[in-house]
Amino acid sequence: MRESLGFENVFLNPKKLEIAYRRYSKNFVNGIKFENVKENYEENKSEIMNIVELNAVEKDHILLIDIDSIGSYYLSKWKNDVLINGERKVNELKKMQMVVFYQCMGQDLYKIRYPKMMVEYSFREVIFSLIHFTIFGWEKEENILFDFIVENFGEHILNANDDNKHTWFLLELYLQYRNKTIMGVNKKLHITVKERFEEAGLRSGLIPEDLDIYSEVLEQWSTPDSAKIENLIGKMSLYHSILASEIGQLGEFGDFRYGFYPFEILFLMHVRKEKGLSVPNHLDDFLMNTPEAKMVFEDPEPYPEWDPLLRLMDDFYRKNYPDYIPNRHGELFQ
């Protein structure tokens, strides 16, 4: 179980943070090279098209394995736009969230046929997509994904034994913002889930017992006091920055995908704006002035152009599986 950081007693090393950020940025130039990601995308393209053209239902689970290469492709394109070229575009980020959505929709089909099939997404990534759909203003898709989360919460296809404190913060803030519940609660959700999982004999050892700064924020996120919310955001940024300084290590913000993307802070600011509450006009710290923190979101965000392979897969599942969740909801992402 991850120990409490005790971040209030930890000093941020600015030099270490800057070095970590350079590693984070260069990873998509010198490490995960776009040409290699694109090559993998093109290789899987042939396999996907072959299964679809032959209507090969007996091996269509391969589609769900290959879909991960589509997500990786748009991850690299997003990083190229924002980190490398310094643009504020969110189009490729939106396509990444669509991929996670369809991973969930496809996985739902195999619960009986392949009950132990390894999933290609994490609990964190699913909550991440839910939050982004909310920010984008894609309410229809947001509600479908939330229903999927509730229906499969803690099961094999949505393992909620997750130690990322910011993920639990995001989910609980979402529940309070939308006036929804999971397991009948929308406060101290992680504690209720941990207790229920233990009672049911489900794995729960990774679920944190405390959320550090996020507990304080959840208690006061709707405060009308602008100075108080600015102080809380400063604490969140400090917490995130200290952990992001360890980029490349196992840890909450140690990954190269989202390590320096302060989406938990951006979501807090989003829900406050939607509630007519104040948010800081400017934040001076390093984290909140990175290109990813400065991306511009429209209200609502227009749907992006579909990835052609993702469209093929969606059409295939719609045709062959009447129980495919999107069949209940008509056209999506348009």
Side-chain angles (χ1 to χ4, degrees):
M1 184 184 302
R2 184 179 296 157
E3 299 265 344
S4 174
L5 181 63
F7 79 98
E8 66 277 1
N9 297 316
V10 178
F11 292 101
L12 176 64
N13 184 329
K15 186 65 175 178
K16 184 178 181 181
L17 183 66
E18 291 178 15
I19 292 172
Y21 183 72
R22 286 200 294 271
R23 286 187 62 209
Y24 176 74
S25 300
K26 290 180 179 178
N27 180 63
F28 287 89
V29 177
N30 303 324
I32 303 174
K33 296 183 178 180
F34 177 68
E35 54 265 32
N36 295 335
V37 175
K38 185 177 181 181
E39 182 180 353
N40 187 44
Y41 175 89
E42 293 296 333
E43 288 175 357
N44 286 336
K45 178 179 180 179
S46 300
E47 186 170 48
I48 291 169
M49 293 182 70
N50 184 59
I51 291 172
V52 170
E53 288 171 3
L54 296 176
N55 203 41
V57 177
E58 70 282 355
K59 58 180 181 179
D60 59 19
H61 63 284
I62 295 173
L63 297 177
L64 205 54
I65 298 171
D66 288 347
I67 195 174
D68 196 52
S69 67
I70 303 175
S72 296
Y73 177 68
Y74 288 107
L75 169 65
S76 285
K77 293 189 75 173
W78 174 50
K79 295 294 184 178
N80 186 71
D81 283 348
V82 180
L83 281 185
I84 300 169
N85 296 330
E87 299 172 351
R88 297 187 176 186
K89 297 179 180 179
V90 297
N91 210 51
E92 314 306 337
L93 175 64
K94 291 188 289 189
K95 292 180 182 179
M96 288 169 58
Q97 308 319 311
M98 287 181 64
V99 169
V100 175
F101 177 89
Y102 281 103
Q103 284 178 312
C104 293
M105 298 301 103
Q107 197 72 51
D108 183 77
L109 295 172
Y110 298 104
K111 285 194 291 187
I112 296 176
R113 183 170 155 195
Y114 299 118
K116 295 184 179 180
M117 181 179 176
M118 182 178 296
V119 301
E120 301 292 330
Y121 53 82
S122 66
F123 179 69
R124 180 196 188 202
E125 288 171 320
V126 176
I127 302 306
F128 186 91
S129 292
L130 177 72
I131 296 309
H132 278 79
F133 287 176
T134 308
I135 293 175
F136 297 157
W138 298 352
E139 192 169 349
K140 185 176 183 179
E141 293 78 12
E142 172 200 330
N143 289 331
I144 295 170
L145 188 56
F146 179 73
D147 289 344
F148 170 88
I149 291 168
V150 172
E151 182 178 340
N152 297 287
F153 198 83
E155 295 184 5
H156 171 67
I157 68 170
L158 192 62
N159 177 11
N161 184 26
D162 190 285
D163 64 347
N164 289 293
K165 297 181 179 183
H166 71 277
T167 302
W168 291 101
F169 163 76
L170 285 167
L171 181 53
E172 185 165 323
L173 180 57
Y174 171 82
L175 293 175
Q176 293 182 22
Y177 170 56
R178 287 300 197 205
N179 194 27
K180 295 180 178 180
T181 63
I182 289 178
M183 294 186 172
V185 302
N186 62 11
K187 291 185 178 180
K188 301 189 184 301
L189 175 68
H190 62 292
I191 294 175
T192 296
V193 171
K194 193 176 184 70
E195 290 174 350
R196 299 277 182 86
F197 279 13
E198 288 174 354
E199 291 169 1
L202 300 174
R203 292 182 178 178
S204 61
L206 294 178
I207 300 174
E209 295 181 356
D210 71 86
L211 300 185
D212 276 306
I213 177 56
Y214 300 127
S215 292
E216 185 179 352
V217 178
L218 285 167
E219 291 172 0
Q220 303 182 66
W221 71 266
S222 59
T223 177
D225 188 331
S226 57
K228 183 174 290 184
I229 201 66
E230 185 168 353
N231 179 257
L232 289 172
I233 288 174
K235 289 182 178 181
M236 291 173 71
S237 183
L238 174 61
Y239 179 87
H240 190 134
S241 298
I242 291 171
L243 291 170
S245 296
E246 305 295 335
I247 200 74
Q249 304 296 316
L250 291 176
E252 186 148 7
F253 295 110
D255 69 289
F256 286 95
R257 179 175 291 201
Y258 299 124
F260 276 87
Y261 178 29
F263 49 93
E264 77 284 14
I265 299 174
L266 297 179
F267 184 58
L268 170 63
M269 295 172 70
H270 170 80
V271 299
R272 282 186 61 84
K273 287 178 183 177
E274 291 296 304
K275 292 291 188 181
L277 298 167
S278 65
V279 296
N281 292 322
H282 178 71
L283 294 163
D284 294 325
D285 62 276
F286 182 91
L287 180 68
M288 296 308 295
N289 284 282
T290 58
E292 289 169 336
K294 291 292 187 180
M295 290 187 301
V296 178
F297 296 99
E298 294 183 37
D299 184 20
E301 271 292 329
Y303 292 114
E305 182 179 346
W306 274 71
D307 174 84
L309 299 184
L310 195 61
R311 174 67 86 180
L312 277 177
M313 294 165 70
D314 180 48
D315 289 344
F316 176 93
Y317 283 131
R318 283 180 181 268
K319 180 179 73 172
N320 288 290
Y321 294 92
D323 292 337
Y324 180 53
I325 292 173
N327 277 336
R328 308 172 200 166
H329 302 280
E331 295 296 327
L332 299 174
F333 296 100
Q334 63 178 32

